[in-house]
């Protein structure tokens, strides 16, 4: 079981599931935390740990990634372990009238570490909060991301019926780590009671419970759909510094892809100090798509250990084909908006439910932004466009719930028409265009699925020819890209040899796999 799991994450096209585990290993670097001054609008200068990369060895190549996954994981873990639980409690207590509390649990994801705090009070179940601290080495702009999330959640709390955690406090002016003179960022919210939704819980519920859940999920999407803005970007505080934005106050896009590219294991040594020069806000859907596909292209441009020329061909074929196709899903009449606010990480784990599948809260709004209307789609795990979580029955039940609500709710009927057209009267071309919009929306949310999606699904729908033949024809017609394939493949080969010479070829995952095989051999497990 362990070896099967580890093998499943050893693919660039699957790494988006956890984002931090990928199969290639980066050249040897020295990474250390330093203090960098940041000026805020409401606070004095603070210090946030950042990653400084110093490349070692005469064989260093500035086009190689700046750090290995293992090295980045170590500095990330060092930051998490440096956080003082006593200081977390003191912070929470200070914002709850001095009441005593204790940290009862801790959990970390790709970008944040959460501390679950219980207060000693007289309420029936006790007051429970979450103190969330950005993992600062994971970001170029952790404060920008936190401000946007706070603005988004407070805006939703004031203007919709979507159940979002109430924010009690946020800032970047407190010391939360041991042995450091710098200060950290934080956000404190209520703990949403319940449990994260999962496949077993959803499919294990009875039909009535699932129908009720899907109806509530549609209500959440309908609430978001009515929030239209004149530009594409992430919400920001208004000009007066108030955290409740004006309707038109949209800032640059804060995307998960851009955040990942700022991490040492996703960027090259040469680009370690560079930042995206233009992240919007965008007033054109086509400009937004070009920006995002530029990010995706950057994600696939790094050399990969043991990557073959066939692997590179598939990637470049898929990237260029999807880039071209993506513009076709945008109706020219809607290129200039309006644009719709959307939760871009609405995975089942970010939906908190009770034992009867009643939605208690929607969490993790950190990469929320406005998007083109055609890319405002239901979650991919609902529609069947998520390669890891696909269930046709669930999509059928979702369609049925939407159809039923459409009979009495005008906004739900609008969503039905925007997502599925006029049902039986749709032409094959119309159905194909709507399905393509769902694929494009999924790729923007999970970029590393792009090769599998295009080669295994989209290309086969567009042509009766085998994919290998389509790829061959594509590069015969695009000689410049054929040359790029050769250059990248040779770079991957040099990179693999470099890793082997410098004893960087074996990863922590490789070592775990070896230990798993040894245990299986020792005990005769199959």
């Amino acid at each position: 079981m362990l070896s099967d799991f580890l093998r499943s994450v050893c693919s660039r096209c699957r790494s988006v599931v956890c984002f931090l585990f990928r199969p290639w290993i980066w050249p040897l670097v020295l990474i250390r935390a330093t203090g960098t001054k940041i000026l805020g609008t409401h606070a004095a200068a603070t210090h946030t740990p950042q990653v400084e990369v110093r490349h070692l060895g005469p064989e260093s190549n500035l086009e190689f990634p700046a750090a290995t996954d293992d090295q980045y994981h170590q500095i990330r873990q060092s930051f998490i372990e440096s956080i003082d639980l006593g200081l977390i409690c003191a912070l929470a207590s200070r914002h709850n009238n001095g009441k005593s509390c204790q940290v009862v649990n801790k959990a970390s994801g790709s970008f944040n570490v959460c501390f679950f705090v219980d207060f000693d009070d007289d309420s029936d179940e006790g007051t429970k909060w979450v103190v969330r601290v950005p993992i600062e080495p994971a970001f170029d702009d952790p404060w920008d991301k936190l401000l946007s999330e706070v603005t988004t959640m407070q805006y939703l709390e004031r203007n919709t019926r979507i159940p979002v955690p109430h924010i009690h406090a946020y800032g970047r002016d407190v010391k939360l780590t041991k042995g450091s003179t710098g200060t950290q960022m934080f956000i404190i919210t209520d703990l949403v009671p319940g449990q994260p939704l999962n496949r077993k819980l959803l499919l294990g519920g009875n039909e009535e419970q699932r129908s009720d859940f899907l109806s509530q999920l549609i209500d959440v999407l309908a609430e978001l759909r009515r929030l239209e803005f004149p530009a594409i970007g992430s919400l920001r505080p208004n000009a007066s510094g108030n955290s409740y934005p004006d309707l038109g106050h949209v800032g640059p896009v804060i995307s998960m892809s851009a955040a990942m590219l700022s991490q040492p294991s996703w960027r090259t040594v040469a680009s370690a100090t560079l930042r995206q020069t233009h992240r919007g806000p965008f007033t054109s859907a086509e400009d937004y798509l070009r920006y995002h596909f530029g990010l995706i292209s950057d994600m696939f441009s790094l050399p990969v250990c043991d990557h073959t020329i066939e692997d590179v061909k598939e990637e470049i074929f898929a990237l260029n084909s999807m880039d071209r196709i993506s513009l076709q899903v945008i109706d020219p009449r809607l290129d200039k908006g309006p644009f719709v606010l959307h939760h871009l990480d609405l995975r089942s784990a970010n939906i908190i439910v009770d034992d009867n599948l009643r939605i208690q809260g929607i969490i993790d709004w950190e990469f929320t932004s406005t998007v083109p209307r055609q890319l405002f789609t239901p979650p991919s795990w609902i529609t069947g466009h998520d390669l890891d979580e696909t269930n046709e029955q669930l999509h059928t039940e979702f369609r049925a719930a939407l159809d039923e609500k459409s009979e009495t709710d005008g906004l739900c009927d609008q969503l039905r028409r925007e997502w599925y057209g006029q049902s039986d009267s749709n032409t094959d071309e119309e159905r194909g265009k709507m399905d393509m919009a769902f694929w494009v929306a999924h790729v923007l949310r999970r970029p590393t699925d792009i090769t599998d999606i295009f080669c295994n699904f989209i290309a086969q729908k567009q042509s009766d020819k085998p994919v290998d033949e389509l790829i061959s024809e594509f590069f015969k017609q695009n000689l410049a890209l054929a040359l790029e394939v050769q250059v990248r493949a040779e770079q991957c080969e040099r990179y693999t040899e470099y890793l082997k010479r410098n004893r960087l070829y074996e990863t922590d995952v490789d070592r775990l796999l070896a230990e798993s095989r040894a245990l299986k051999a020792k005990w005769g497990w199959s």
Side-chain angles (χ1 to χ4, degrees):
M1 181 68 72
L2 174 63
S3 61
D4 290 340
F5 167 74
L6 293 174
R7 189 174 296 106
S8 72
V9 300
C10 287
S11 165
R12 170 143 76 182
C13 296
R14 288 289 181 270
S15 62
V16 73
V17 176
C18 55
F19 263 118
L20 292 177
F21 299 93
R22 293 184 303 283
W24 54 93
I25 294 299
W26 315 116
L28 184 60
V29 293
L30 177 64
I31 307 175
R32 58 187 176 88
T34 62
T36 301
K37 183 176 291 187
I38 295 181
L39 298 178
T41 54
H42 303 293
T46 59
H47 294 265
T48 177
Q50 297 220 339
V51 175
E52 179 180 301
V53 179
R54 288 193 291 127
H55 203 75
L56 302 180
E59 293 184 87
S60 299
N61 189 320
L62 296 182
E63 295 179 345
F64 289 171
T68 71
D69 276 342
D70 293 345
Q71 289 166 328
Y72 173 61
H73 178 70
Q74 289 172 7
I75 193 171
R76 182 177 170 276
Q77 283 302 113
S78 295
F79 176 82
I80 293 173
E81 292 168 5
S82 74
I83 298 176
D84 189 315
L85 299 187
L87 295 176
I88 292 291
C89 270
L91 173 65
S93 178
R94 184 160 67 251
H95 290 284
N96 193 18
N97 300 316
K99 293 181 180 179
S100 61
C101 63
Q102 57 181 334
V103 176
V104 297
N105 201 2
K106 177 177 76 172
S108 63
S110 298
F111 300 100
N112 304 281
V113 55
C114 295
F115 299 90
F116 300 88
V117 175
D118 284 2
F119 285 93
D120 302 324
D121 54 27
D122 298 327
S123 61
D124 292 339
E125 297 184 0
T127 301
K128 302 178 186 297
W129 284 2
V130 178
V131 179
R132 199 175 74 187
V133 180
I135 301 173
E136 293 169 2
F139 295 97
D140 273 347
D141 300 307
W143 181 243
D144 286 350
K145 182 192 73 70
L146 188 145
L147 264 186
S148 177
E149 182 174 18
V150 167
T151 304
T152 300
M153 292 173 65
Q154 291 180 335
Y155 182 81
L156 292 170
E157 189 174 42
R158 287 168 61 94
N159 294 282
T160 74
R161 296 173 296 168
I162 298 173
V164 298
H166 177 71
I167 297 174
H168 293 280
Y170 67 96
R172 56 174 175 174
D173 56 352
V174 295
K175 181 180 181 299
L176 297 175
T177 56
K178 310 165 189 173
S180 170
T181 58
T183 58
Q184 278 68 52
M185 305 172 195
F186 68 92
I187 177 173
I188 301 176
T189 70
D190 284 331
L191 173 66
V192 179
Q195 57 189 316
L197 180 69
N198 59 57
R199 185 185 184 90
K200 181 179 180 181
L201 187 66
L202 182 59
L203 298 181
N206 60 49
E207 186 174 344
E208 182 179 354
Q209 289 175 329
R210 280 200 307 277
S211 177
D212 189 38
F213 164 78
L214 293 171
S215 177
Q216 292 176 73
L217 180 61
I218 291 169
D219 288 338
V220 169
L221 295 169
E223 287 284 294
L224 289 172
R225 174 61 186 87
R226 66 183 180 82
L227 302 177
E228 295 184 344
F229 293 79
I232 300 173
S234 301
L235 299 192
R236 298 284 295 175
N238 60 28
S240 64
N242 193 309
S243 59
Y244 306 120
D246 301 321
L247 182 62
H249 196 75
V250 176
V253 175
I254 299 175
S255 74
M256 187 179 296
S257 297
M260 293 307 304
L261 280 171
S262 73
Q263 295 176 352
S265 52
W266 279 95
R267 64 188 179 190
T268 65
V269 175
S271 66
T273 59
L274 300 180
R275 299 161 66 96
Q276 288 288 332
T277 55
H278 181 64
R279 297 182 288 121
F282 300 99
T283 56
S284 162
E286 290 190 3
D287 289 346
Y288 170 76
L289 283 173
R290 290 190 182 97
Y291 162 75
H292 254 293
F293 273 91
L295 288 178
I296 296 172
S297 179
D298 288 344
M299 294 178 74
F300 279 82
S301 66
L302 293 172
V304 181
C305 179
D306 291 328
H307 225 39
T308 68
I309 192 168
E310 299 305 323
D311 295 328
V312 178
K313 280 183 178 180
E314 286 187 356
E315 289 179 351
I316 292 180
F317 171 65
L319 281 166
N320 282 269
S321 300
M322 282 296 293
D323 187 9
R324 171 179 48 81
I325 290 173
S326 67
L327 297 177
Q328 299 174 9
V329 308
I330 300 298
D331 186 335
R333 295 170 297 179
L334 298 173
D335 180 59
K336 301 299 182 182
F339 307 107
V340 183
L341 191 66
H342 199 12
H343 190 309
L344 296 176
D345 193 23
L346 198 55
R347 296 175 293 114
S348 56
N350 287 333
I351 303 174
I352 309 301
V353 298
D354 64 14
D355 292 337
N356 295 315
L357 296 181
R358 298 284 303 177
I359 295 178
Q360 303 300 297
I362 307 295
I363 62 173
D364 281 6
W365 294 88
E366 59 188 339
F367 293 111
T368 297
S369 73
T370 55
V371 299
R373 200 195 76 183
Q374 290 93 335
L375 301 181
F376 179 81
T377 62
S380 300
W381 56 272
I382 288 284
T383 64
H385 294 79
D386 186 324
L387 302 183
D388 297 316
E389 298 184 61
T390 296
N391 186 282
E392 292 184 5
Q393 174 194 348
L394 193 59
H395 192 200
T396 299
E397 293 180 3
F398 178 83
R399 287 286 306 273
L402 182 59
D403 288 343
E404 182 178 348
K405 294 177 74 70
S406 297
E407 295 176 0
T408 57
D409 188 304
L411 187 52
C412 289
D413 185 55
Q414 180 182 347
L415 285 176
R416 180 187 62 80
R417 286 182 281 106
E418 289 176 352
W419 289 338
Y420 302 107
Q422 300 298 330
S423 299
D424 295 338
S425 62
N426 294 335
T427 65
D428 289 342
E429 182 179 355
E430 290 171 333
R431 281 192 292 268
K433 189 171 183 178
M434 287 182 285
D435 187 56
M436 185 60 65
F438 282 25
W439 282 121
V440 171
H442 176 74
V443 164
L444 296 184
R445 293 191 287 259
R446 190 180 293 180
T448 49
D449 276 356
I450 190 170
T451 304
D452 279 355
I453 283 175
F454 189 80
C455 293
N456 296 334
F457 293 92
I458 298 175
Q460 294 182 13
K461 289 183 178 181
Q462 294 186 330
S463 175
D464 294 331
K465 297 180 180 179
V467 173
D468 290 345
E469 187 175 340
L470 292 174
I471 293 175
S472 178
E473 291 178 356
F474 175 82
F475 286 107
K476 286 179 181 179
Q477 298 169 5
N478 296 274
L479 298 181
L481 291 178
L483 179 60
E484 182 180 345
V485 167
Q486 191 65 37
V487 170
R488 287 196 189 182
E490 291 174 357
Q491 186 183 29
C492 289
E493 185 176 351
R494 292 195 306 272
Y495 182 51
T496 302
E497 291 303 315
Y498 169 80
L499 296 177
K500 290 178 177 179
R501 285 195 303 271
N502 289 275
R503 300 180 180 179
L504 297 170
Y505 184 76
E506 186 181 44
T507 71
D508 285 346
V509 170
D510 293 330
R511 286 184 282 275
L512 284 172
L513 284 171
E515 292 172 6
S516 174
R517 287 192 294 267
L519 281 174
K520 289 169 67 175
K522 178 179 179 180
W523 299 104
W525 298 336
S526 58

